[in-house]
Amino acid sequence: MDEILKYFPHLDETQIGQITALYELYKDWNAKINVISRKDIENLYEHHVLHSLAIAKMFRFTEGTKVLDLGTGGGFPGIPLAIMFPQTQFKLIDGTGKKILVATEIAKEIGLKNVVTEHLRGEDEKGLFDFVVSRAVMPLPDLVKMVRKNISKKQQNAMVNGVFCLKGGDVQSEVKPFKGSAEVMPVSTWFAEEWFKGKNVIYVPIYK
């Protein structure tokens, strides 16, 4: 939890309470349904919560923004972002029923009013959103191709509606098809921990 407050010192009591509750909830659920590597649960805050919040360092969603978290698994990056932006509406979807059950129950347990969840594959999502967020679910060109239909043309944020994706490793080949419109920001720009080296937030505007 200290890692979160170190980089986000202005959280209110509700947000601190929600983030603090995540460890025991994920530990309990993970024993029943494996959504995080069992060896990695001790690193929940750094490897999962803080990693998700790199998107919040790159961009702040305005009130009323609609965000789709595609392939959320147990709720990343959607749940940490929903805690950070209580006035933004999040829809979390995943094609694996067991995983979306975990995300659903945890969001309910911590009292997130700005989250809906659905057992659904990205191909079958029909809704319109300002942004899509995702954490290394599939190659970036495939992700953008899939969600283009879900990006609203109506703009209400400082950045053009599009996709934010958390990706590690050499991402140059993945951003190449976007001919310079994609932005790649190393997560280590904001977070000093060794684990974040080589990890990036990629932003692809859809209607430029």
Side-chain angles (χ1 to χ4, degrees):
M1 179 64 200
D2 291 345
E3 305 97 312
I4 311 301
L5 289 173
K6 175 177 162 186
Y7 295 110
F8 297 93
H10 305 302
L11 296 175
D12 64 28
E13 281 183 27
T14 300
Q15 291 169 314
I16 291 170
Q18 288 170 328
I19 293 173
T20 301
L22 292 178
Y23 179 74
E24 289 302 331
L25 287 168
Y26 274 107
K27 194 173 180 184
D28 185 42
W29 272 104
N30 212 53
K32 296 176 268 192
I33 298 169
N34 195 217
V35 291
I36 292 167
S37 159
R38 297 258 155 85
K39 291 181 289 188
D40 207 31
I41 195 73
E42 298 301 323
N43 300 309
L44 176 79
Y45 286 112
E46 183 180 316
H47 294 184
H48 301 278
V49 180
L50 192 57
H51 188 209
S52 298
L53 291 175
I55 292 170
K57 283 292 188 187
M58 188 170 187
F59 183 64
R60 295 195 67 78
F61 301 108
T62 60
E63 187 174 332
T65 297
K66 291 185 174 179
V67 179
L68 174 68
D69 178 2
L70 186 142
T72 190
F76 300 104
I79 285 178
L81 289 172
I83 294 170
M84 189 62 59
F85 299 107
Q87 305 305 319
T88 294
Q89 302 304 310
F90 288 84
K91 182 172 185 182
L92 280 52
I93 66 170
D94 200 277
T96 304
K98 284 181 181 177
K99 290 182 178 180
I100 203 70
L101 171 66
V102 176
T104 303
E105 291 303 316
I106 287 178
K108 196 187 301 177
E109 193 76 32
I110 64 173
L112 284 177
K113 303 283 192 284
N114 59 331
V115 167
V116 295
T117 57
E118 190 174 357
H119 176 204
L120 191 69
R121 293 167 63 215
E123 297 92 323
D124 302 320
E125 175 58 64
K126 301 288 193 288
L128 284 178
F129 303 87
D130 301 292
F131 295 96
V132 173
V133 297
S134 190
R135 194 163 77 137
V137 168
M138 63 184 76
L140 186 63
D142 297 345
L143 174 66
V144 171
K145 188 177 177 183
M146 181 187 291
V147 302
R148 192 176 284 276
K149 68 186 187 312
N150 303 112
I151 304 290
S152 170
K153 290 183 180 177
K154 185 183 172 190
Q155 306 292 332
Q156 59 171 329
N157 281 269
M159 287 172 89
V160 173
N161 293 359
V163 176
F164 286 100
C165 186
L166 293 160
K167 281 264 180 185
D170 179 15
V171 296
Q172 292 313 310
S173 61
E174 293 203 40
V175 300
K176 201 173 179 182
F178 303 105
K179 299 180 174 65
S181 67
E183 289 181 35
V184 180
M185 284 294 287
V187 176
S188 56
T189 304
W190 309 292
F191 305 146
E193 286 77 3
E194 187 73 23
W195 188 80
F196 292 111
K197 286 187 176 170
K199 293 180 169 55
N200 306 284
V201 182
I202 307 173
Y203 161 65
V204 182
I206 298 299
Y207 299 114
K208 205 162 186 183

